Amino acid sequence: MPGTVIVGTQWGDEGKGRFTDYLAEESTLVVRYQGGHNAGHTIVVDGEVFKIQLVPSGVLYPHVTPIIGNGVVVDPAVLLAEIDMLEAKGVSTANLRLSGNAHLIMPYHQELDRVSERYLGKNKLGTTKRGIGPAYADKAMRVGIRVQDLLDPKIFRQKLDLAIRDKNLMLTKGYNRPGLDPQAIAADYLAMVPRLEPLIDDSVHLIHSALDRGEHVLFEGAQATFLDLDQGTYPFVTSSNPVAGGVCTGAGVGPRAIERVVGVVKAYTTRVGSGPFPSELFEGDPVGDELVARGHEYGTNTGRRRRPGWLDMVMIRHAVRLNSCTDVAITKLDVLAPFEELKICVAYEGDDGTRYDHVPYHQSVIHKVRPVYETLPGWRGEIDDAKTLDDLPAEARDYVRRIEELAGVPVSFVGVGPARDQTLVLSS
Ligand code: GDP
Ligand code: IMO
Ligand code: MG
């Protein structure tokens, strides 16, 4: 049963969408298994740029069935707008399927996300304010409303009336905000049903039928390992499980359905929002500023400047463990072209002098560790025209091979630009 997972190994925006699109050519199904429209995946085809939040990146191939799995949280208005955007660009969304078991993001989730961030002040998480945390909280509280509930207006209204009661209490009494009107919400959501209904399906059955036929199924992660609710830098994380194990619950397959796990590694590190970042290069640092400028490191989704830093291989090694990565795909190697020397974080040092070769579990420790760097020579030249690894300068090849050594698994692809044909395929 050949299932492949694409997972981010850092704090997101590694280029998962780009590699999903690349590997989708060989797949019949591409499945999102967690997250929502907090994701922003960019794909560049023939110079045209597609920025997608909810629809799986395989949508650009007519032979692919893109599936929004049960583990995703869906804002239906965003989904419909994205379908319209894709259709307007000439991309057919006719094959798109939406799990009836996926949970809906409701207007009160977005409002609560906004006000709770405001109330946290300087302790804010820096969320995307898309309602992700509150929607998953309702799912865990068992008051979530699912896509299938839209198919029965009476049930939908009943569930909404129940769910909104404590939300309005919280908004009015806790946050001093106006409550929301369930009638108006019901009218808005039910008005979308005629367009949504044809998409709604049994995603688990579709996935297993494809696997049983021996077809290739690709699972597209959103966010990343260190934003994982359980394994990331909690509480500065998202509210779902992006790690490869999240595929099992978020798509409804067992671990044995997964054969390959590709960890996507950006050639340096970025992070959007708050939280610890050992190899961070703070605003004003010339290298950090150049990484942001050359890498266009501004959020696809919120437009925020991404925090830059050197590549942190302590994190990548941990991500390889957490996800059982079989191989890694490096992106944005081309961005490193101008630097005289390159640093790779190979260990951390705690404020008591303790050396860590793995990511320490304790929040206070991870907040204070200093990076231990290894320095490699840069190659000082553009590489975006390279077609094979051999076309790269020796220093660039050495950088790739060092990542491979430290990761402990083979590098299978190297991105030297955002386009499909800027992908170097490595044999071993
Ligand atoms: P995702 O969220 O992991 O899918 O990544 P994003 O799309 O948010 O961010 C990755 C950005 O880097 C996008 O703008 C991509 O077009 C771009 N990108 C991906 N791979 C490469 C690469 O190898 N080189 C360069 N220069 N850009 C890349
Ligand atoms: P892709 O799929 C980068 C970050 C937010 C914030 C934290 C929690 O494009 O890699 P949330 O809105 O999820 O409750 O925010 O997670 N975050 C991302 N950062 N890429 C993403 O997605 C992200 N999705 C969420 O910035 O720090
Ligand atoms: Mg992104």
Side-chain angles (χ1 to χ4, degrees):
M1 293 207 292
T4 295
V5 184
I6 305 240
V7 63
T9 57
Q10 294 155 317
W11 281 295
D13 305 322
E14 295 89 352
K16 298 174 291 294
R18 174 257 166 96
F19 273 111
T20 303
D21 168 72
Y22 188 82
L23 290 178
E25 196 172 3
E26 317 270 291
S27 313
T28 53
L29 259 54
V30 179
V31 185
R32 274 278 307 269
Y33 56 93
Q34 46 69 231
H37 66 302
N38 49 347
H41 295 181
T42 317
I43 306 158
V44 181
V45 184
D46 298 333
E48 187 161 14
V49 180
F50 297 87
K51 291 177 187 287
I52 21 193
Q53 297 180 282
L54 268 173
V55 175
S57 297
V59 69
L60 301 188
Y61 292 102
H63 70 271
V64 166
T65 299
I67 297 186
I68 299 177
N70 60 274
V72 177
V73 284
V74 179
D75 179 328
V78 171
L79 177 61
L80 293 179
E82 194 159 289
I83 290 172
D84 290 342
M85 177 275 287
L86 287 164
E87 293 283 348
K89 284 179 175 250
V91 176
S92 168
T93 55
N95 295 340
L96 178 65
R97 315 311 298 140
L98 168 62
S99 167
N101 285 359
H103 280 245
L104 292 171
I105 296 185
M106 305 298 292
Y108 43 83
H109 294 137
Q110 314 222 9
E111 180 65 1
L112 284 168
D113 199 355
R114 280 192 291 268
V115 291
S116 61
E117 278 285 274
R118 210 174 304 144
Y119 266 63
L120 282 169
K122 68 174 176 41
N123 296 318
K124 71 172 185 199
L125 303 175
T127 74
T128 58
K129 300 186 183 152
R130 301 297 197 252
I132 305 295
Y136 278 113
D138 271 4
K139 175 177 175 176
M141 284 284 283
R142 294 155 296 179
V143 292
I145 302 177
R146 294 189 290 174
V147 166
Q148 59 180 285
D149 297 324
L150 286 167
L151 299 175
D152 186 329
K154 195 162 153 241
I155 290 183
F156 182 81
R157 286 203 176 86
Q158 275 171 0
K159 291 196 174 184
L160 176 58
D161 283 344
L162 256 182
I164 207 166
R165 258 186 240 164
D166 67 325
K167 305 298 181 308
N168 275 346
L169 267 180
M170 227 185 302
L171 286 171
T172 54
K173 308 268 185 239
Y175 292 108
N176 204 19
R177 301 280 306 159
L180 301 179
D181 174 13
Q183 312 263 24
I185 296 175
D188 283 353
Y189 274 59
L190 292 172
M192 290 186 267
V193 172
R195 289 196 63 195
L196 293 168
E197 191 169 357
L199 309 177
I200 302 173
D201 214 326
D202 181 346
S203 57
V204 170
H205 183 66
L206 288 173
I207 293 165
H208 282 276
S209 303
L211 289 170
D212 290 347
R213 289 193 296 270
E215 291 171 14
H216 199 248
V217 177
L218 195 56
F219 299 97
E220 175 183 14
Q223 291 78 55
T225 304
F226 290 90
L227 288 173
D228 186 276
L229 182 59
D230 287 80
Q231 305 299 343
T233 46
Y234 190 91
F236 303 101
V237 293
T238 192
S239 297
S240 66
N241 290 112
V243 293
V247 169
C248 295
T249 51
V253 298
R256 290 198 301 136
I258 299 165
E259 199 166 68
R260 183 179 187 192
V261 180
V262 185
V264 185
V265 177
K266 196 184 290 197
Y268 49 96
T269 315
T270 59
R271 168 163 212 171
V272 202
S274 319
F277 184 168
S279 67
E280 181 163 11
L281 297 165
F282 294 95
E283 208 159 350
D285 180 288
V287 173
D289 289 350
E290 178 113 24
L291 287 173
V292 171
R294 276 185 62 86
H296 308 290
E297 296 297 353
Y298 294 90
T300 312
N301 198 319
T302 57
R304 290 179 288 174
R305 180 186 189 272
R306 297 175 181 148
R307 299 157 58 194
W310 289 117
L311 179 63
D312 182 343
M313 285 305 296
V314 184
M315 288 175 66
I316 306 300
R317 264 200 311 262
H318 198 55
V320 166
R321 279 178 160 179
L322 289 169
N323 296 295
S324 297
C325 290
T326 48
D327 50 314
V328 296
I330 298 173
T331 59
K332 297 194 140 179
L333 190 68
D334 53 302
V335 172
L336 299 180
F339 302 114
E340 199 134 342
E341 49 183 40
L342 304 167
K343 291 188 179 166
I344 298 181
C345 172
V346 291
Y348 300 147
E349 195 180 276
D351 59 354
D352 61 353
T354 309
R355 185 185 159 105
Y356 296 92
D357 294 306
H358 64 281
V359 177
Y361 82 93
H362 204 290
Q363 195 185 347
S364 309
V365 177
I366 183 101
H367 271 275
K368 288 186 198 136
V369 291
R370 285 183 301 274
V372 176
Y373 287 121
E374 184 176 289
T375 304
L376 273 73
W379 50 90
R380 309 295 308 271
E382 300 299 343
I383 55 169
D384 44 326
D385 285 338
K387 296 286 170 240
T388 69
L389 193 70
D390 291 337
D391 296 338
L392 296 181
E395 294 86 352
R397 285 199 305 267
D398 289 348
Y399 189 75
V400 169
R401 291 304 178 202
R402 188 64 186 135
I403 294 175
E404 188 166 67
E405 266 169 29
L406 290 165
V409 292
V411 172
S412 47
F413 306 99
V414 177
V416 293
R420 276 180 183 164
D421 63 359
Q422 289 179 303
T423 308
L424 315 184
V425 182
L426 277 61
S427 44
S428 59

